[in-house]
Structure formats: C-alpha cells, structure tokens
Amino acid sequence: MWWSVLPLSFLFPSALAAQPAAPAPIRAPLRDLPLGQLNFLHTTDTHGWLAGHLQEPSFSADWGDYISFAERMREKIEAQGRDLLVIDTGDRVEGNGLYDSSQPQGVYLSEILRHQHIDVMTSGNHELYKHNTSEAELQVTVPNFRGSYLASNIDIIHPETEELVPLASRYKKFTTKQQGIRIVAFGFLFDFTGNYNNTVVQRVEETIKEDWFQEAIRDEEVDLFLVAGHVPAHSPEYKAIFTEIRSTRGHGDTPIQFFGGHQHIRDYAQYDAKAVALASGRFMETIGFMSIDGLSSTNDPSITAGPVFKRRYIDNNLYSYYHHTGLDESSFPTDKGLNVSQLITDSRSALHLDKIHGCNPRDLWMSRAPYPHNDSIYTWLEKEVLPETLKNEPRGDGGRPAVAVLNTGAIRFDIFKGAFTQDTMWIISPFTNEFRYVKDVPYDKVQLIMEVLNKQPQVLTGSLEETFDGVDALGPPAQVNHLDNMAGTGQIPLSAENPSGAVVPGYTTQDDAGDDGDDTIHSPISFYRVPNVFQATLSANASATPETVDLVYIEFLQSYLTLAAKFAHLDLDFAKESESYMPGSTLTDLVLEWVGKNWPCN
Ligand SMILES: *[C@@H]1O[C@H](CO)[C@@H](O)[C@H](O)[C@H]1NC(C)=O
Ligand SMILES: *[C@@H]1O[C@H](CO)[C@@H](O)[C@H](O)[C@H]1NC(C)=O
Ligand SMILES: *[C@@H]1O[C@H](CO)[C@@H](O)[C@H](O)[C@H]1NC(C)=O
Ligand SMILES: *[C@@H]1O[C@H](CO)[C@@H](O)[C@H](O)[C@H]1NC(C)=O
Ligand SMILES: *[C@@H]1O[C@H](CO)[C@@H](O)[C@H](O)[C@H]1NC(C)=O
C-alpha cells in the first residue's frame, strides 16, 4: 500500500519526549518512507527552532526526538546492510529565542545541536551576517562537527592569526560504513554578498574553476557526488555545479545528489536521470528524506542499473517518527534523544522563554489571510499596534500626520491564538532595527514610493524592474519564488486528537517528481500574496488627506527608500536627512507594549 493509516487504538496520552509544553501530534494518513540502498535525512534553515513548534502539533517534535529518529532509522537501515547519512545545510542561527535570547547568542543552541550525528554540514547566510556569529561558527560549530563541516566557498579572517583561512574543509571523500559506497562531498553557499567583511564568499561559478575542485571531480573512483549547500534546489549556482561535473571526463552519468535550502520551501529538482536536488523547508517543520538505489560501490562495483531516486518530506512530529521506525512511545526514544529533550527544556527554562506577556484571542496570519483583512498580521500592525504605540512626542503632540512604512519581511511568523510568550516575541520579530523619519514629505510622493517598493504595474517600467529586482527580498522569504509550496501552518486543529484520522490542512507539495512527496497527506491551504511593504497612518486626521507627512520607517528600509524616492522624483537622501523617531524602541518593543495592554490573560 502506498500509504497506510495506523489503527485507531494508537492514541497519544501525551508527548513523552517532545517538549512538555508541546501539543501531541495528530493522527493523519501517512505515506511510507521508500528505503533504498543509500538513505539520507536532511534539515535546513532550522533558525534555532530546536525545541520544535509548541503551538503546532504537526511540527511538535524537538531536536532530541530527531536524534532518536536518526538513531532508530540507522539501526533499522544498517540491520539490512544499507547506509544512512544525515545532512544539514545551514541557517541554524537567528529566528528563535533558543538562539537569540541568550547572551552571548547561541550558547545554549550549539550545546543542543552538537549531539546529533551529522555527516555533512554547511553554513548558511545567517551564520555570516555578523562578525561574531561567523567567529562562533569557526570556533564552536566547526570543531563540534569536525570532519563533517564543509565550506567549499567560504573563507574567514581568523580572529587570532588575522589570516584569511577556509571556514572548514573544502570537500571530503569517504566511503559508507555498510556498503563502501565511495562519495565525494562538497558544501556550498549561494552567491551571497550580504556577509560582514570578516568573511569572503566566493561565487560558486568561480569556485568550480579552482584547481582543488577540478581535481576533486576528476577522481574516477567515485560512486556518488554529494553536493550539500545553502543553495536553492532550482538555482543557477546548482545548475553550474551540475554542468561542471557532467562535462568532466568519466562523469557524464555519475549519480549526483544535491541537498539545498534557503528559500524555506519543500522542493525537489531533477537535473537529469542521475542528478537530483532536495530542499527541506524551514524551522524544523520538515525532515527531508532521500533514498538512492542502484549505486555501484566498492563491495559491488558491477551494478549499472541505477540509480533510482526517491524523496519524502517528513512532518516533524512523533506520530510520523513512530510510524516510520515502526516503534512506539516506549521503544522509540533513545537515551541520547531523551537527554537532549531534557537539555532543551532546561535551556528554555533558563532563558524564561515561557514567560507570558499576554493572551491573544485569535490567530493572525502572514499569508494565510488576504491583505488587508482582519486576520492579517499586517492589518493588525497597521490599524492597531503602530497607531497606538509608535510615537515621537515632540512631533506627535500637535496631531501632525505621520505615515510609517514597514516591510512585510519584518515579521517572521504567524501569531497563534493563546499565550503570547517571550518565545512568541523572538519568533515573530528577532530584528533589532529602530525607527527613523524624515519630516514633511509630500503625501502623494509617499504613496508613489509605496507603489515603487510594491512594484505596482503602473510604475513598473523596464529599467525600474531591473534596478529593483532585489526589492522582493522585503517580503517573507518563502514568498520570493514559490508561493504555492509555502508552509502549511496554522489552522491545523490545535487539539491533540483526530480520532477519525481524517486529512487535516498542511503542506501539499508540488515538485519536479509530482505531488506525492509529503509523508503526511494533507488538505491544501490557501495562501495570499502580500505586498513587500505596508503603511500605517499615525496621529493623522482621518477626515482629511494631509499635504505633507512625517515619513517614518524601519531602518532596514533606508537604502530601498532612497532608491525608490529617486523613481518618485523626490530628491531625498534618507541617510543624511533622517532622524531617530522613537529612540530605543524596536518593532518588537511596540508589539510587546501593545500585547501587554490589549491582550490580558483571564
Ligand atoms: C555578538 O555581539 C552582540 C553585541 O554585543 C551580542 O549581543 C551577541 O550575543 C554576540 N553574538 C555572539 C554569537 O557572540
Ligand atoms: C570591515 O568593516 C569595518 C567597518 O564596519 C572597517 O572598520 C574595517 O576596516 C573593515 N575591514 C576590512 C578588512 O575591510
Ligand atoms: C544521559 O544522561 C544521563 C544522566 O545525566 C547520563 O548518565 C547518560 O550517560 C546520558 N546518556 C547519553 C547517551 O548521553
Ligand atoms: C474587524 O475587526 C474590527 C475590530 O476588531 C471589527 O469592528 C470588525 O467588525 C471586523 N470586521 C470583520 C469583517 O470581521
Ligand atoms: C480634521 O480635519 C478637519 C477638516 O480639515 C478639521 O475640520 C478638523 O478640525 C480636524 N480635526 C483635528 C482633530 O485636527
């Protein structure tokens, strides 16, 4: 059977290993994992969510559960004389209180992370934005994963020697434990340019011309090339690597397995019959699974039939984990997994992540509600939070009209009905940008700037489109390319039971191999495209359109605004002419203030 439903008696009394506050997973029809000769588990873009999702049953398993899962899968697979490899492709940092709220950041997270056995690991862009984040990577995470961490195109200025050195090994060659499959593995980052100047990211297209890479792909004793990277599955960077390997003598049809990420989507790309790429979502929602059959190996060099590639996107919860291992709540958890779940509980407690700031009466969505709409998080910010909290006393007292411009990407996650905790705060907005403003900007020019930033068709002329290609980065990451594949979060019932085992809303992924990739069979969820930027009217007289307004904005937007103003024929240098609007306050502070006043817990 291509999917199976567990017996009705299989109910969860409570989640035994997942975080104590996590909801029990819900029953759902599942597709089995198509195990093969070589198998992989893959995480990417976890962004600190190692405690799992405490308000979403589908994603409620934690890193300790994932450790148990990998251990149990390895036992099962190796007992059949087959192999399992575990991959992580970066952006492990920033975006969850477990990382952001400690001082220094990441000290709890890296202690938790290191307990998983990972065979190939890479850096994402988030590891490189700040000077000290990349240094922590070099001094903590790379040593913790020595022999597994690969950095094919990243160098770092060593803090002690001040020399430019590779962040980690460029590549490695190894053979699998059970079958002796010979693998040459790389670890890439996409052509990222936003890193701090203590690291150097070499373009992928240049890296693959280097001697060491050319030498590595000229190796003829290879059964599989494994390219892990913080790189989208469908991307020019991966296309370039694929083409370079394929055009190398002897590798016209050597199997190549790519693992990617960055876009926060589930995705699968087929480059040719023997080269594929898997991307495994975001935020510990998804454990990517791949299997390959028909590989040659040192044990059996004669196999030529393959390869056959199969993929699954596993919803990260215990219900899926028990099903795929064939175990239950008593036989599934390993000592190590249980210890790590406990370590997460202790860390969350030390960081006060369960501290409650308020209780929100309803769900607010980033893209599961249209904008504008009462259920839209942006409408809520625009109509309620910002007008009531964003103030500059000297300017605001006279009722002077002001307009605040924010990018939708400033919000990272939905807000669920229920307790609004310290954890919620870090999850929805980990950014530390303050507000700035420029005085007395013509109101119609502000509207024109909004249209430019939102690429409204009427202002979208050719040159503008080219110049402003990067502007879509202002929206939520998952929207950038693949709206259809976006997260299935939210309206999944928050109750622990689903006695009928009926299909619930969630991910319904379409990829190059079809629509049968998700392990859990879900009903689809509608997503709405949201604008890049939105505006809130502050202290304005609603019955009149003002001539000029104070233009308030999140500092992150400054360079975009300067460029957009040019297109609006407004000569304004925001860097020079702006002032701090509400010194010391970030969007996060305003949200907390509003929640404390307006969402009391009864
Ligand atoms: C980096 O420096 C900032 C500012 O001092 C600090 O808040 C943060 O914890 C540091 N991060 C790391 C990884 O050391
Ligand atoms: C890196 O940028 C800082 C300013 O942020 C500057 O002081 C420093 O000289 C730069 N270092 C290099 C190697 O360019
Ligand atoms: C789990 O923790 C216990 C108690 O601290 C310790 O004795 C045990 O060795 C740990 N087990 C593993 C596999 O880490
Ligand atoms: C939207 O919310 C406001 C205030 O919260 C309420 O007055 C209004 O009726 C709601 N509109 C809809 C369509 O639900
Ligand atoms: C708002 O504008 C109207 C029309 O211009 C004016 O009559 C009214 O006094 C204004 N109200 C405030 C509070 O400024």
Side-chain angles (χ1 to χ4, degrees):
M1 207 155 69
W2 63 284
W3 61 267
S4 53
V5 183
L6 293 186
L8 284 176
S9 59
F10 193 74
L11 284 172
F12 290 80
S14 68
L16 286 185
Q19 289 306 293
I26 39 182
R27 307 169 42 73
L30 293 177
R31 297 181 177 100
D32 291 333
L33 297 186
L35 298 188
Q37 180 192 352
L38 177 59
N39 304 277
F40 296 91
L41 296 176
H42 175 220
T43 49
T44 193
D45 299 84
T46 50
H47 286 286
W49 289 70
L50 300 192
H53 291 233
L54 302 185
Q55 292 180 296
E56 290 172 284
S58 288
F59 314 125
S60 53
D62 66 23
W63 193 253
D65 302 317
Y66 178 45
I67 287 172
S68 296
F69 181 57
E71 289 190 311
R72 295 305 186 204
M73 288 299 290
R74 188 174 296 109
E75 288 166 9
K76 178 172 166 176
I77 287 167
E78 291 186 353
Q80 302 170 358
R82 297 162 152 191
D83 288 292
L84 175 73
L85 298 174
V86 179
I87 314 285
D88 181 85
T89 49
D91 273 11
R92 290 171 291 275
V93 305
E94 299 183 339
N96 187 290
L98 201 51
Y99 176 86
D100 295 88
S101 73
S102 67
Q103 209 45 270
Q105 290 178 318
V107 287
Y108 290 89
L109 191 87
S110 55
E111 263 313 295
I112 296 162
L113 187 76
R114 63 195 287 262
H115 295 287
Q116 176 66 296
H117 172 91
I118 297 179
D119 295 282
V120 176
M121 171 187 251
T122 73
S123 172
N125 49 309
H126 276 264
E127 279 81 1
L128 308 184
Y129 279 109
K130 295 181 190 154
H131 193 179
N132 60 4
T133 314
S134 55
E135 288 188 349
E137 207 61 15
L138 177 73
Q139 292 177 320
V140 180
T141 308
V142 170
N144 283 348
F145 291 93
R146 177 130 5 253
S148 301
Y149 205 123
L150 300 179
S152 297
N153 62 337
I154 304 172
D155 290 328
I156 183 167
I157 298 175
H158 195 286
E160 278 135 39
T161 65
E162 291 177 12
E163 276 170 51
L164 192 64
V165 295
L167 175 65
S169 307
R170 296 290 188 222
Y171 77 107
K172 69 171 177 177
K173 182 170 183 186
F174 63 105
T175 55
T176 62
K177 197 156 74 177
Q178 298 296 318
Q179 301 159 97
I181 298 169
R182 298 162 305 175
I183 298 179
V184 167
F186 303 98
F188 278 95
L189 174 61
F190 71 95
D191 293 343
F192 175 55
T193 56
N195 50 313
Y196 191 74
N197 66 12
N198 70 319
T199 56
V200 175
V201 180
Q202 188 179 33
R203 286 173 53 79
V204 172
E205 293 79 353
E206 285 158 22
T207 308
I208 59 180
K209 300 296 176 198
E210 293 211 322
D211 289 346
W212 70 263
F213 185 84
Q214 289 295 327
E215 209 167 293
I217 61 172
R218 273 175 174 66
D219 189 337
E220 288 182 10
E221 314 281 291
V222 177
D223 302 307
L224 175 77
F225 285 106
L226 172 59
V227 185
H230 195 76
V231 180
H234 288 91
S235 63
E237 289 95 331
Y238 270 178
K239 227 12 193 293
I241 295 171
F242 164 73
T243 308
E244 194 68 24
I245 296 175
R246 274 287 169 269
S247 61
T248 303
R249 221 167 76 104
H251 295 309
D253 68 351
T254 304
I256 314 173
Q257 174 68 55
F258 292 81
F259 287 95
H262 183 58
Q263 287 175 315
H264 290 187
I265 59 171
R266 296 179 171 189
D267 197 16
Y268 183 68
Q270 290 173 327
Y271 303 132
D272 68 13
K274 299 188 176 184
V276 304
L278 184 78
S280 303
R282 60 170 195 182
F283 303 162
M284 277 291 280
E285 291 173 347
T286 303
I287 306 299
F289 170 86
M290 271 306 309
S291 70
I292 315 178
D293 263 326
L295 289 172
S296 59
S297 67
T298 39
N299 300 3
D300 194 351
S302 63
I303 296 180
T304 50
V308 177
F309 296 91
K310 298 204 170 122
R311 54 86 181 87
R312 277 275 177 275
Y313 309 101
I314 302 169
D315 275 9
N316 175 40
N317 64 68
L318 288 173
Y319 187 82
S320 282
Y321 284 174
Y322 294 169
H323 177 85
H324 296 312
T325 53
L327 299 171
D328 62 24
E329 62 192 53
S330 57
S331 53
F332 172 80
T334 64
D335 276 356
K336 195 169 167 193
L338 288 173
N339 279 6
V340 172
S341 291
Q342 185 61 48
L343 180 60
I344 296 171
T345 307
D346 296 346
S347 306
R348 284 182 49 79
S349 155
L351 293 168
H352 306 292
L353 293 180
D354 289 321
K355 179 178 181 220
I356 294 176
H357 294 283
C359 290
N360 42 323
R362 61 205 177 101
D363 294 328
L364 290 167
W365 307 115
M366 294 170 63
S367 54
R368 300 221 8 213
Y371 166 86
H373 189 279
N374 262 16
D375 296 335
S376 161
I377 209 163
Y378 309 111
T379 299
W380 171 68
L381 289 170
E382 171 182 313
K383 298 282 182 229
E384 303 189 58
V385 178
L386 294 168
E388 290 168 36
T389 56
L390 184 53
K391 296 202 164 59
N392 175 299
E393 295 304 345
R395 298 287 288 174
D397 272 356
R400 180 183 299 276
V403 168
V405 177
L406 283 81
N407 60 312
T408 48
I411 293 292
R412 295 270 297 192
F413 209 65
D414 302 315
I415 300 179
F416 299 109
K417 182 175 172 180
F420 189 107
T421 62
Q422 186 79 357
D423 200 26
T424 316
M425 180 195 96
W426 289 107
I427 288 167
I428 65 163
S429 182
F431 306 107
T432 50
N433 273 228
E434 293 187 8
F435 292 89
R436 301 189 65 78
Y437 80 114
V438 175
K439 288 178 189 146
D440 303 324
V441 181
Y443 183 76
D444 58 343
K445 294 290 188 195
V446 174
Q447 296 318 306
L448 209 47
I449 288 173
M450 292 297 294
E451 287 174 9
V452 171
L453 291 174
N454 283 330
K455 292 173 105 179
Q456 295 294 307
Q458 62 269 29
V459 292
L460 256 194
T461 59
S463 68
L464 176 61
E465 197 155 13
E466 272 168 37
T467 315
F468 254 45
D469 235 20
V471 83
D472 288 334
L474 297 174
Q479 172 164 294
V480 176
N481 283 310
H482 265 253
L483 201 64
D484 301 342
N485 269 355
M486 275 182 62
T489 55
Q491 265 159 31
I492 296 167
L494 292 179
S495 78
E497 287 179 30
N498 179 25
S500 64
V503 172
V504 298
Y507 278 104
T508 51
T509 308
Q510 298 273 351
D511 62 27
D512 283 8
D515 61 5
D516 63 351
D518 302 305
D519 81 323
T520 309
I521 299 175
H522 288 295
S523 57
I525 297 170
S526 302
F527 293 104
Y528 300 87
R529 187 165 281 281
V530 296
N532 296 326
V533 289
F534 62 101
Q535 59 183 320
T537 305
L538 314 176
S539 56
N541 183 339
S543 65
T545 300
E547 287 273 303
T548 64
V549 292
D550 286 352
L551 173 52
V552 186
Y553 58 93
I554 274 195
E555 192 174 5
F556 174 77
L557 282 175
Q558 188 155 284
S559 59
Y560 294 92
L561 284 167
T562 301
L563 193 53
K566 284 206 180 76
F567 284 100
H569 301 292
L570 180 68
D571 188 17
L572 195 56
D573 184 343
F574 283 78
K576 290 215 182 89
E577 294 172 56
S578 64
E579 291 169 37
S580 177
Y581 193 69
M582 192 176 175
S585 288
T586 63
L587 176 61
T588 312
D589 297 325
L590 303 186
V591 167
L592 274 193
E593 180 194 331
W594 192 94
V595 165
K597 272 191 205 142
N598 293 278
W599 282 345
C601 294
N602 300 317

